[in-house]
Structure formats: C-alpha cells, structure tokens
PDB file of all heavy atoms in Angstrom:
ATOM      1  N   GLY C   1      22.731  -0.273  11.304  1.00 78.00           N
ATOM      2  CA  GLY C   1      23.436   0.819  11.949  1.00 78.00           C
ATOM      3  C   GLY C   1      22.856   1.159  13.295  1.00 78.00           C
ATOM      4  O   GLY C   1      23.313   0.676  14.334  1.00 78.00           O
ATOM      5  N   ILE C   2      21.831   2.003  13.305  1.00 86.00           N
ATOM      6  CA  ILE C   2      21.199   2.416  14.553  1.00 86.00           C
ATOM      7  C   ILE C   2      20.597   1.219  15.287  1.00 86.00           C
ATOM      8  O   ILE C   2      20.660   1.133  16.517  1.00 86.00           O
ATOM      9  CB  ILE C   2      20.120   3.480  14.275  1.00 86.00           C
ATOM     10  CG1 ILE C   2      20.763   4.714  13.642  1.00 86.00           C
ATOM     11  CG2 ILE C   2      19.413   3.870  15.562  1.00 86.00           C
ATOM     12  CD1 ILE C   2      21.826   5.356  14.505  1.00 86.00           C
ATOM     13  N   SER C   3      20.021   0.284  14.551  1.00 87.00           N
ATOM     14  CA  SER C   3      19.440  -0.906  15.194  1.00 87.00           C
ATOM     15  C   SER C   3      20.500  -1.697  15.949  1.00 87.00           C
ATOM     16  O   SER C   3      20.264  -2.175  17.064  1.00 87.00           O
ATOM     17  CB  SER C   3      18.769  -1.792  14.144  1.00 87.00           C
ATOM     18  OG  SER C   3      17.736  -1.096  13.475  1.00 87.00           O
ATOM     19  N   ALA C   4      21.688  -1.827  15.349  1.00 89.00           N
ATOM     20  CA  ALA C   4      22.779  -2.548  16.009  1.00 89.00           C
ATOM     21  C   ALA C   4      23.230  -1.815  17.259  1.00 89.00           C
ATOM     22  O   ALA C   4      23.541  -2.440  18.285  1.00 89.00           O
ATOM     23  CB  ALA C   4      23.940  -2.722  15.036  1.00 89.00           C
ATOM     24  N   ILE C   5      23.277  -0.487  17.194  1.00 93.00           N
ATOM     25  CA  ILE C   5      23.682   0.307  18.357  1.00 93.00           C
ATOM     26  C   ILE C   5      22.701   0.115  19.502  1.00 93.00           C
ATOM     27  O   ILE C   5      23.084  -0.146  20.649  1.00 93.00           O
ATOM     28  CB  ILE C   5      23.796   1.792  17.973  1.00 93.00           C
ATOM     29  CG1 ILE C   5      24.986   2.012  17.038  1.00 93.00           C
ATOM     30  CG2 ILE C   5      23.947   2.660  19.216  1.00 93.00           C
ATOM     31  CD1 ILE C   5      25.103   3.428  16.532  1.00 93.00           C
ATOM     32  N   LEU C   6      21.409   0.242  19.202  1.00 93.00           N
ATOM     33  CA  LEU C   6      20.385   0.143  20.251  1.00 93.00           C
ATOM     34  C   LEU C   6      20.326  -1.256  20.850  1.00 93.00           C
ATOM     35  O   LEU C   6      20.208  -1.412  22.077  1.00 93.00           O
ATOM     36  CB  LEU C   6      19.020   0.542  19.677  1.00 93.00           C
ATOM     37  CG  LEU C   6      18.875   1.997  19.232  1.00 93.00           C
ATOM     38  CD1 LEU C   6      17.507   2.234  18.610  1.00 93.00           C
ATOM     39  CD2 LEU C   6      19.091   2.947  20.398  1.00 93.00           C
ATOM     40  N   LEU C   7      20.408  -2.277  20.006  1.00 94.00           N
ATOM     41  CA  LEU C   7      20.292  -3.635  20.520  1.00 94.00           C
ATOM     42  C   LEU C   7      21.522  -4.021  21.332  1.00 94.00           C
ATOM     43  O   LEU C   7      21.403  -4.614  22.416  1.00 94.00           O
ATOM     44  CB  LEU C   7      20.091  -4.624  19.374  1.00 94.00           C
ATOM     45  CG  LEU C   7      19.875  -6.086  19.788  1.00 94.00           C
ATOM     46  CD1 LEU C   7      18.700  -6.203  20.749  1.00 94.00           C
ATOM     47  CD2 LEU C   7      19.635  -6.959  18.566  1.00 94.00           C
ATOM     48  N   SER C   8      22.714  -3.690  20.855  1.00 94.00           N
ATOM     49  CA  SER C   8      23.924  -4.015  21.616  1.00 94.00           C
ATOM     50  C   SER C   8      23.944  -3.257  22.935  1.00 94.00           C
ATOM     51  O   SER C   8      24.374  -3.787  23.970  1.00 94.00           O
ATOM     52  CB  SER C   8      25.176  -3.699  20.796  1.00 94.00           C
ATOM     53  OG  SER C   8      25.261  -2.317  20.503  1.00 94.00           O
ATOM     54  N   ALA C   9      23.470  -2.006  22.930  1.00 96.00           N
ATOM     55  CA  ALA C   9      23.390  -1.238  24.174  1.00 96.00           C
ATOM     56  C   ALA C   9      22.358  -1.849  25.118  1.00 96.00           C
ATOM     57  O   ALA C   9      22.558  -1.888  26.341  1.00 96.00           O
ATOM     58  CB  ALA C   9      23.035   0.218  23.877  1.00 96.00           C
ATOM     59  N   GLY C  10      21.241  -2.332  24.572  1.00 96.00           N
ATOM     60  CA  GLY C  10      20.235  -2.985  25.403  1.00 96.00           C
ATOM     61  C   GLY C  10      20.759  -4.249  26.053  1.00 96.00           C
ATOM     62  O   GLY C  10      20.512  -4.500  27.243  1.00 96.00           O
ATOM     63  N   LEU C  11      21.500  -5.051  25.294  1.00 97.00           N
ATOM     64  CA  LEU C  11      22.089  -6.266  25.859  1.00 97.00           C
ATOM     65  C   LEU C  11      23.137  -5.923  26.911  1.00 97.00           C
ATOM     66  O   LEU C  11      23.273  -6.625  27.919  1.00 97.00           O
ATOM     67  CB  LEU C  11      22.717  -7.111  24.744  1.00 97.00           C
ATOM     68  CG  LEU C  11      21.756  -7.619  23.667  1.00 97.00           C
ATOM     69  CD1 LEU C  11      22.500  -8.479  22.661  1.00 97.00           C
ATOM     70  CD2 LEU C  11      20.602  -8.394  24.276  1.00 97.00           C
ATOM     71  N   PHE C  12      23.868  -4.842  26.673  1.00 97.00           N
ATOM     72  CA  PHE C  12      24.852  -4.384  27.658  1.00 97.00           C
ATOM     73  C   PHE C  12      24.172  -3.997  28.966  1.00 97.00           C
ATOM     74  O   PHE C  12      24.678  -4.297  30.057  1.00 97.00           O
ATOM     75  CB  PHE C  12      25.617  -3.195  27.079  1.00 97.00           C
ATOM     76  CG  PHE C  12      26.653  -2.615  28.002  1.00 97.00           C
ATOM     77  CD1 PHE C  12      27.684  -3.392  28.495  1.00 97.00           C
ATOM     78  CD2 PHE C  12      26.594  -1.280  28.372  1.00 97.00           C
ATOM     79  CE1 PHE C  12      28.644  -2.855  29.350  1.00 97.00           C
ATOM     80  CE2 PHE C  12      27.541  -0.733  29.219  1.00 97.00           C
ATOM     81  CZ  PHE C  12      28.577  -1.525  29.706  1.00 97.00           C
ATOM     82  N   GLY C  13      23.014  -3.352  28.867  1.00 96.00           N
ATOM     83  CA  GLY C  13      22.270  -3.008  30.071  1.00 96.00           C
ATOM     84  C   GLY C  13      21.717  -4.236  30.774  1.00 96.00           C
ATOM     85  O   GLY C  13      21.826  -4.360  32.005  1.00 96.00           O
ATOM     86  N   LEU C  14      21.143  -5.164  30.023  1.00 96.00           N
ATOM     87  CA  LEU C  14      20.571  -6.367  30.628  1.00 96.00           C
ATOM     88  C   LEU C  14      21.631  -7.231  31.286  1.00 96.00           C
ATOM     89  O   LEU C  14      21.358  -7.920  32.277  1.00 96.00           O
ATOM     90  CB  LEU C  14      19.833  -7.184  29.558  1.00 96.00           C
ATOM     91  CG  LEU C  14      18.546  -6.581  29.006  1.00 96.00           C
ATOM     92  CD1 LEU C  14      18.015  -7.441  27.868  1.00 96.00           C
ATOM     93  CD2 LEU C  14      17.495  -6.437  30.102  1.00 96.00           C
ATOM     94  N   MET C  15      22.851  -7.203  30.753  1.00 95.00           N
ATOM     95  CA  MET C  15      23.921  -8.015  31.301  1.00 95.00           C
ATOM     96  C   MET C  15      24.210  -7.686  32.763  1.00 95.00           C
ATOM     97  O   MET C  15      24.666  -8.536  33.535  1.00 95.00           O
ATOM     98  CB  MET C  15      25.182  -7.829  30.453  1.00 95.00           C
ATOM     99  CG  MET C  15      26.420  -8.574  30.917  1.00 95.00           C
ATOM    100  SD  MET C  15      27.441  -7.653  32.116  1.00 95.00           S
ATOM    101  CE  MET C  15      27.849  -6.192  31.196  1.00 95.00           C
ATOM    102  N   HIS C  16      23.911  -6.462  33.194  1.00 93.00           N
ATOM    103  CA  HIS C  16      24.180  -6.077  34.574  1.00 93.00           C
ATOM    104  C   HIS C  16      23.202  -6.716  35.561  1.00 93.00           C
ATOM    105  O   HIS C  16      23.424  -6.692  36.771  1.00 93.00           O
ATOM    106  CB  HIS C  16      24.141  -4.548  34.719  1.00 93.00           C
ATOM    107  CG  HIS C  16      25.309  -3.876  34.073  1.00 93.00           C
ATOM    108  ND1 HIS C  16      25.383  -3.636  32.708  1.00 93.00           N
ATOM    109  CD2 HIS C  16      26.460  -3.381  34.600  1.00 93.00           C
ATOM    110  CE1 HIS C  16      26.524  -3.025  32.437  1.00 93.00           C
ATOM    111  NE2 HIS C  16      27.190  -2.868  33.548  1.00 93.00           N
ATOM    112  N   MET C  17      22.099  -7.240  35.054  1.00 93.00           N
ATOM    113  CA  MET C  17      21.166  -8.039  35.844  1.00 93.00           C
ATOM    114  C   MET C  17      20.522  -7.275  37.009  1.00 93.00           C
ATOM    115  O   MET C  17      20.180  -7.867  38.034  1.00 93.00           O
ATOM    116  CB  MET C  17      21.854  -9.294  36.395  1.00 93.00           C
ATOM    117  CG  MET C  17      22.177 -10.330  35.331  1.00 93.00           C
ATOM    118  SD  MET C  17      20.676 -10.984  34.579  1.00 93.00           S
ATOM    119  CE  MET C  17      21.292 -12.453  33.775  1.00 93.00           C
ATOM    120  N   ASN C  18      20.351  -5.971  36.879  1.00 92.00           N
ATOM    121  CA  ASN C  18      19.572  -5.201  37.850  1.00 92.00           C
ATOM    122  C   ASN C  18      19.073  -3.945  37.146  1.00 92.00           C
ATOM    123  O   ASN C  18      19.732  -3.416  36.244  1.00 92.00           O
ATOM    124  CB  ASN C  18      20.388  -4.863  39.096  1.00 92.00           C
ATOM    125  CG  ASN C  18      21.582  -3.995  38.807  1.00 92.00           C
ATOM    126  OD1 ASN C  18      21.454  -2.769  38.668  1.00 92.00           O
ATOM    127  ND2 ASN C  18      22.765  -4.604  38.703  1.00 92.00           N
ATOM    128  N   PHE C  19      17.897  -3.482  37.570  1.00 93.00           N
ATOM    129  CA  PHE C  19      17.261  -2.349  36.899  1.00 93.00           C
ATOM    130  C   PHE C  19      18.032  -1.047  37.124  1.00 93.00           C
ATOM    131  O   PHE C  19      17.999  -0.152  36.283  1.00 93.00           O
ATOM    132  CB  PHE C  19      15.818  -2.189  37.384  1.00 93.00           C
ATOM    133  CG  PHE C  19      14.879  -3.214  36.831  1.00 93.00           C
ATOM    134  CD1 PHE C  19      14.387  -4.228  37.638  1.00 93.00           C
ATOM    135  CD2 PHE C  19      14.501  -3.172  35.502  1.00 93.00           C
ATOM    136  CE1 PHE C  19      13.514  -5.182  37.121  1.00 93.00           C
ATOM    137  CE2 PHE C  19      13.632  -4.120  34.973  1.00 93.00           C
ATOM    138  CZ  PHE C  19      13.149  -5.132  35.783  1.00 93.00           C
ATOM    139  N   ASN C  20      18.720  -0.943  38.243  1.00 91.00           N
ATOM    140  CA  ASN C  20      19.452   0.280  38.550  1.00 91.00           C
ATOM    141  C   ASN C  20      20.548   0.537  37.507  1.00 91.00           C
ATOM    142  O   ASN C  20      20.627   1.616  36.918  1.00 91.00           O
ATOM    143  CB  ASN C  20      20.049   0.193  39.952  1.00 91.00           C
ATOM    144  CG  ASN C  20      20.978   1.354  40.259  1.00 91.00           C
ATOM    145  OD1 ASN C  20      22.178   1.152  40.453  1.00 91.00           O
ATOM    146  ND2 ASN C  20      20.457   2.562  40.289  1.00 91.00           N
ATOM    147  N   GLN C  21      21.387  -0.444  37.277  1.00 93.00           N
ATOM    148  CA  GLN C  21      22.478  -0.273  36.319  1.00 93.00           C
ATOM    149  C   GLN C  21      22.031  -0.427  34.873  1.00 93.00           C
ATOM    150  O   GLN C  21      22.661   0.134  33.967  1.00 93.00           O
ATOM    151  CB  GLN C  21      23.595  -1.276  36.617  1.00 93.00           C
ATOM    152  CG  GLN C  21      24.350  -1.005  37.905  1.00 93.00           C
ATOM    153  CD  GLN C  21      25.410  -2.050  38.164  1.00 93.00           C
ATOM    154  OE1 GLN C  21      25.096  -3.195  38.489  1.00 93.00           O
ATOM    155  NE2 GLN C  21      26.668  -1.678  38.016  1.00 93.00           N
ATOM    156  N   ALA C  22      20.954  -1.176  34.648  1.00 94.00           N
ATOM    157  CA  ALA C  22      20.541  -1.459  33.279  1.00 94.00           C
ATOM    158  C   ALA C  22      20.190  -0.195  32.510  1.00 94.00           C
ATOM    159  O   ALA C  22      20.539  -0.054  31.330  1.00 94.00           O
ATOM    160  CB  ALA C  22      19.350  -2.420  33.286  1.00 94.00           C
ATOM    161  N   LEU C  23      19.508   0.747  33.169  1.00 93.00           N
ATOM    162  CA  LEU C  23      19.048   1.940  32.468  1.00 93.00           C
ATOM    163  C   LEU C  23      20.210   2.814  32.020  1.00 93.00           C
ATOM    164  O   LEU C  23      20.321   3.182  30.851  1.00 93.00           O
ATOM    165  CB  LEU C  23      18.088   2.738  33.361  1.00 93.00           C
ATOM    166  CG  LEU C  23      17.457   3.975  32.705  1.00 93.00           C
ATOM    167  CD1 LEU C  23      16.684   3.592  31.457  1.00 93.00           C
ATOM    168  CD2 LEU C  23      16.560   4.709  33.701  1.00 93.00           C
ATOM    169  N   TYR C  24      21.104   3.157  32.966  1.00 95.00           N
ATOM    170  CA  TYR C  24      22.190   4.040  32.549  1.00 95.00           C
ATOM    171  C   TYR C  24      23.258   3.292  31.751  1.00 95.00           C
ATOM    172  O   TYR C  24      23.984   3.895  30.958  1.00 95.00           O
ATOM    173  CB  TYR C  24      22.796   4.792  33.735  1.00 95.00           C
ATOM    174  CG  TYR C  24      23.501   3.992  34.798  1.00 95.00           C
ATOM    175  CD1 TYR C  24      24.785   3.488  34.602  1.00 95.00           C
ATOM    176  CD2 TYR C  24      22.922   3.794  36.053  1.00 95.00           C
ATOM    177  CE1 TYR C  24      25.451   2.796  35.585  1.00 95.00           C
ATOM    178  CE2 TYR C  24      23.588   3.109  37.047  1.00 95.00           C
ATOM    179  CZ  TYR C  24      24.849   2.606  36.808  1.00 95.00           C
ATOM    180  OH  TYR C  24      25.516   1.922  37.797  1.00 95.00           O
ATOM    181  N   ALA C  25      23.366   1.964  31.916  1.00 96.00           N
ATOM    182  CA  ALA C  25      24.289   1.200  31.074  1.00 96.00           C
ATOM    183  C   ALA C  25      23.804   1.191  29.623  1.00 96.00           C
ATOM    184  O   ALA C  25      24.614   1.200  28.686  1.00 96.00           O
ATOM    185  CB  ALA C  25      24.419  -0.224  31.593  1.00 96.00           C
ATOM    186  N   PHE C  26      22.490   1.182  29.426  1.00 97.00           N
ATOM    187  CA  PHE C  26      21.939   1.273  28.068  1.00 97.00           C
ATOM    188  C   PHE C  26      22.332   2.597  27.416  1.00 97.00           C
ATOM    189  O   PHE C  26      22.767   2.636  26.259  1.00 97.00           O
ATOM    190  CB  PHE C  26      20.421   1.143  28.128  1.00 97.00           C
ATOM    191  CG  PHE C  26      19.727   1.428  26.830  1.00 97.00           C
ATOM    192  CD1 PHE C  26      19.822   0.561  25.756  1.00 97.00           C
ATOM    193  CD2 PHE C  26      18.975   2.590  26.669  1.00 97.00           C
ATOM    194  CE1 PHE C  26      19.188   0.829  24.556  1.00 97.00           C
ATOM    195  CE2 PHE C  26      18.338   2.874  25.477  1.00 97.00           C
ATOM    196  CZ  PHE C  26      18.449   1.986  24.416  1.00 97.00           C
ATOM    197  N   ALA C  27      22.210   3.700  28.170  1.00 96.00           N
ATOM    198  CA  ALA C  27      22.581   5.011  27.631  1.00 96.00           C
ATOM    199  C   ALA C  27      24.074   5.083  27.345  1.00 96.00           C
ATOM    200  O   ALA C  27      24.508   5.576  26.289  1.00 96.00           O
ATOM    201  CB  ALA C  27      22.165   6.117  28.595  1.00 96.00           C
ATOM    202  N   ILE C  28      24.885   4.568  28.272  1.00 96.00           N
ATOM    203  CA  ILE C  28      26.330   4.570  28.061  1.00 96.00           C
ATOM    204  C   ILE C  28      26.696   3.707  26.862  1.00 96.00           C
ATOM    205  O   ILE C  28      27.587   4.049  26.064  1.00 96.00           O
ATOM    206  CB  ILE C  28      27.047   4.072  29.329  1.00 96.00           C
ATOM    207  CG1 ILE C  28      26.860   5.069  30.471  1.00 96.00           C
ATOM    208  CG2 ILE C  28      28.536   3.853  29.065  1.00 96.00           C
ATOM    209  CD1 ILE C  28      27.440   4.594  31.792  1.00 96.00           C
ATOM    210  N   GLY C  29      25.997   2.576  26.698  1.00 96.00           N
ATOM    211  CA  GLY C  29      26.278   1.683  25.575  1.00 96.00           C
ATOM    212  C   GLY C  29      26.062   2.354  24.234  1.00 96.00           C
ATOM    213  O   GLY C  29      26.795   2.092  23.267  1.00 96.00           O
ATOM    214  N   ILE C  30      25.066   3.233  24.147  1.00 96.00           N
ATOM    215  CA  ILE C  30      24.825   3.970  22.906  1.00 96.00           C
ATOM    216  C   ILE C  30      26.010   4.886  22.600  1.00 96.00           C
ATOM    217  O   ILE C  30      26.527   4.922  21.468  1.00 96.00           O
ATOM    218  CB  ILE C  30      23.521   4.772  23.006  1.00 96.00           C
ATOM    219  CG1 ILE C  30      22.316   3.819  23.092  1.00 96.00           C
ATOM    220  CG2 ILE C  30      23.377   5.717  21.806  1.00 96.00           C
ATOM    221  CD1 ILE C  30      21.004   4.528  23.320  1.00 96.00           C
ATOM    222  N   PHE C  31      26.460   5.628  23.597  1.00 96.00           N
ATOM    223  CA  PHE C  31      27.593   6.532  23.398  1.00 96.00           C
ATOM    224  C   PHE C  31      28.860   5.755  23.051  1.00 96.00           C
ATOM    225  O   PHE C  31      29.658   6.185  22.205  1.00 96.00           O
ATOM    226  CB  PHE C  31      27.817   7.379  24.650  1.00 96.00           C
ATOM    227  CG  PHE C  31      26.972   8.616  24.698  1.00 96.00           C
ATOM    228  CD1 PHE C  31      25.757   8.622  25.357  1.00 96.00           C
ATOM    229  CD2 PHE C  31      27.385   9.780  24.066  1.00 96.00           C
ATOM    230  CE1 PHE C  31      24.972   9.757  25.400  1.00 96.00           C
ATOM    231  CE2 PHE C  31      26.602  10.926  24.099  1.00 96.00           C
ATOM    232  CZ  PHE C  31      25.393  10.923  24.765  1.00 96.00           C
ATOM    233  N   LEU C  32      29.074   4.612  23.686  1.00 96.00           N
ATOM    234  CA  LEU C  32      30.272   3.828  23.419  1.00 96.00           C
ATOM    235  C   LEU C  32      30.283   3.302  21.992  1.00 96.00           C
ATOM    236  O   LEU C  32      31.328   3.315  21.324  1.00 96.00           O
ATOM    237  CB  LEU C  32      30.370   2.669  24.416  1.00 96.00           C
ATOM    238  CG  LEU C  32      30.644   3.068  25.868  1.00 96.00           C
ATOM    239  CD1 LEU C  32      30.546   1.851  26.783  1.00 96.00           C
ATOM    240  CD2 LEU C  32      32.010   3.721  26.018  1.00 96.00           C
ATOM    241  N   ALA C  33      29.141   2.834  21.504  1.00 95.00           N
ATOM    242  CA  ALA C  33      29.075   2.359  20.119  1.00 95.00           C
ATOM    243  C   ALA C  33      29.293   3.501  19.134  1.00 95.00           C
ATOM    244  O   ALA C  33      29.957   3.334  18.096  1.00 95.00           O
ATOM    245  CB  ALA C  33      27.730   1.684  19.866  1.00 95.00           C
ATOM    246  N   LEU C  34      28.751   4.675  19.437  1.00 95.00           N
ATOM    247  CA  LEU C  34      28.970   5.836  18.572  1.00 95.00           C
ATOM    248  C   LEU C  34      30.445   6.238  18.560  1.00 95.00           C
ATOM    249  O   LEU C  34      30.979   6.640  17.517  1.00 95.00           O
ATOM    250  CB  LEU C  34      28.111   7.008  19.040  1.00 95.00           C
ATOM    251  CG  LEU C  34      26.601   6.873  18.825  1.00 95.00           C
ATOM    252  CD1 LEU C  34      25.862   8.032  19.470  1.00 95.00           C
ATOM    253  CD2 LEU C  34      26.268   6.801  17.331  1.00 95.00           C
ATOM    254  N   LEU C  35      31.118   6.113  19.684  1.00 95.00           N
ATOM    255  CA  LEU C  35      32.543   6.417  19.731  1.00 95.00           C
ATOM    256  C   LEU C  35      33.345   5.432  18.876  1.00 95.00           C
ATOM    257  O   LEU C  35      34.311   5.822  18.211  1.00 95.00           O
ATOM    258  CB  LEU C  35      33.046   6.382  21.173  1.00 95.00           C
ATOM    259  CG  LEU C  35      32.714   7.599  22.031  1.00 95.00           C
ATOM    260  CD1 LEU C  35      33.128   7.359  23.482  1.00 95.00           C
ATOM    261  CD2 LEU C  35      33.406   8.844  21.495  1.00 95.00           C
ATOM    262  N   VAL C  36      32.955   4.162  18.910  1.00 94.00           N
ATOM    263  CA  VAL C  36      33.628   3.171  18.075  1.00 94.00           C
ATOM    264  C   VAL C  36      33.482   3.527  16.599  1.00 94.00           C
ATOM    265  O   VAL C  36      34.441   3.455  15.814  1.00 94.00           O
ATOM    266  CB  VAL C  36      33.072   1.758  18.353  1.00 94.00           C
ATOM    267  CG1 VAL C  36      33.584   0.758  17.328  1.00 94.00           C
ATOM    268  CG2 VAL C  36      33.453   1.305  19.752  1.00 94.00           C
ATOM    269  N   GLU C  37      32.283   3.929  16.204  1.00 92.00           N
ATOM    270  CA  GLU C  37      32.057   4.311  14.809  1.00 92.00           C
ATOM    271  C   GLU C  37      32.802   5.599  14.456  1.00 92.00           C
ATOM    272  O   GLU C  37      33.340   5.732  13.359  1.00 92.00           O
ATOM    273  CB  GLU C  37      30.558   4.498  14.555  1.00 92.00           C
ATOM    274  CG  GLU C  37      29.759   3.221  14.563  1.00 92.00           C
ATOM    275  CD  GLU C  37      30.045   2.348  13.349  1.00 92.00           C
ATOM    276  OE1 GLU C  37      30.706   2.829  12.402  1.00 92.00           O
ATOM    277  OE2 GLU C  37      29.611   1.188  13.350  1.00 92.00           O
ATOM    278  N   ALA C  38      32.825   6.545  15.392  1.00 94.00           N
ATOM    279  CA  ALA C  38      33.475   7.828  15.112  1.00 94.00           C
ATOM    280  C   ALA C  38      34.980   7.673  14.967  1.00 94.00           C
ATOM    281  O   ALA C  38      35.596   8.262  14.075  1.00 94.00           O
ATOM    282  CB  ALA C  38      33.144   8.833  16.213  1.00 94.00           C
ATOM    283  N   ALA C  39      35.591   6.876  15.839  1.00 93.00           N
ATOM    284  CA  ALA C  39      37.042   6.712  15.822  1.00 93.00           C
ATOM    285  C   ALA C  39      37.495   5.550  14.949  1.00 93.00           C
ATOM    286  O   ALA C  39      38.672   5.466  14.594  1.00 93.00           O
ATOM    287  CB  ALA C  39      37.562   6.518  17.243  1.00 93.00           C
ATOM    288  N   GLY C  40      36.570   4.640  14.625  1.00 91.00           N
ATOM    289  CA  GLY C  40      36.941   3.484  13.818  1.00 91.00           C
ATOM    290  C   GLY C  40      37.808   2.497  14.563  1.00 91.00           C
ATOM    291  O   GLY C  40      38.571   1.748  13.946  1.00 91.00           O
ATOM    292  N   SER C  41      37.707   2.481  15.886  1.00 92.00           N
ATOM    293  CA  SER C  41      38.553   1.608  16.690  1.00 92.00           C
ATOM    294  C   SER C  41      37.856   1.270  17.990  1.00 92.00           C
ATOM    295  O   SER C  41      37.165   2.106  18.581  1.00 92.00           O
ATOM    296  CB  SER C  41      39.895   2.281  16.985  1.00 92.00           C
ATOM    297  OG  SER C  41      40.660   1.512  17.893  1.00 92.00           O
ATOM    298  N   LEU C  42      38.073   0.053  18.437  1.00 94.00           N
ATOM    299  CA  LEU C  42      37.528  -0.371  19.721  1.00 94.00           C
ATOM    300  C   LEU C  42      38.241   0.305  20.886  1.00 94.00           C
ATOM    301  O   LEU C  42      37.700   0.383  21.991  1.00 94.00           O
ATOM    302  CB  LEU C  42      37.633  -1.896  19.863  1.00 94.00           C
ATOM    303  CG  LEU C  42      36.806  -2.567  20.957  1.00 94.00           C
ATOM    304  CD1 LEU C  42      35.328  -2.286  20.778  1.00 94.00           C
ATOM    305  CD2 LEU C  42      37.075  -4.066  20.990  1.00 94.00           C
ATOM    306  N   TRP C  43      39.441   0.838  20.635  1.00 95.00           N
ATOM    307  CA  TRP C  43      40.155   1.559  21.684  1.00 95.00           C
ATOM    308  C   TRP C  43      39.364   2.766  22.173  1.00 95.00           C
ATOM    309  O   TRP C  43      39.514   3.182  23.330  1.00 95.00           O
ATOM    310  CB  TRP C  43      41.527   2.012  21.205  1.00 95.00           C
ATOM    311  CG  TRP C  43      42.571   0.956  21.179  1.00 95.00           C
ATOM    312  CD1 TRP C  43      43.328   0.554  20.107  1.00 95.00           C
ATOM    313  CD2 TRP C  43      43.014   0.143  22.289  1.00 95.00           C
ATOM    314  NE1 TRP C  43      44.194  -0.448  20.460  1.00 95.00           N
ATOM    315  CE2 TRP C  43      44.025  -0.719  21.805  1.00 95.00           C
ATOM    316  CE3 TRP C  43      42.639   0.063  23.625  1.00 95.00           C
ATOM    317  CZ2 TRP C  43      44.667  -1.640  22.618  1.00 95.00           C
ATOM    318  CZ3 TRP C  43      43.274  -0.864  24.436  1.00 95.00           C
ATOM    319  CH2 TRP C  43      44.272  -1.696  23.937  1.00 95.00           C
TER     320      TRP C  43
END
C-alpha cells in the first residue's frame, strides 16, 4: 500500500531527470496515487 505509493511517486520524480522537478513531482505523485485509491479510478 504505502510502499507502492512512495516508490511509484519516487520513480515519477526521477523520471523528470532534474532535481528541481523531482522533489515536487514526488510530492504530487503521492497525492495522485491517493486520489486513485480514494476514487477507485485512474481518471
């Protein structure tokens, strides 16, 4: 659960390939995964 959220968010941050976007993309990735779980949909 939480491990999947953190790791997928970390990979999402690393994918941007720069430290500037990586940090806030990691935070956004956590919220996005929580939204998927809350709504039960990728939409």
Side-chain angles (χ1 to χ4, degrees):
I2 299 301
S3 300
I5 291 176
L6 295 177
L7 183 56
S8 63
L11 298 182
F12 179 58
L14 291 175
M15 178 272 301
H16 289 80
M17 289 296 196
N18 62 81
F19 285 108
N20 172 245
Q21 291 178 289
L23 184 58
Y24 65 77
F26 171 71
I28 293 175
I30 293 175
F31 275 94
L32 292 173
L34 290 174
L35 282 173
V36 170
E37 289 289 349
S41 173
L42 195 59
W43 282 123

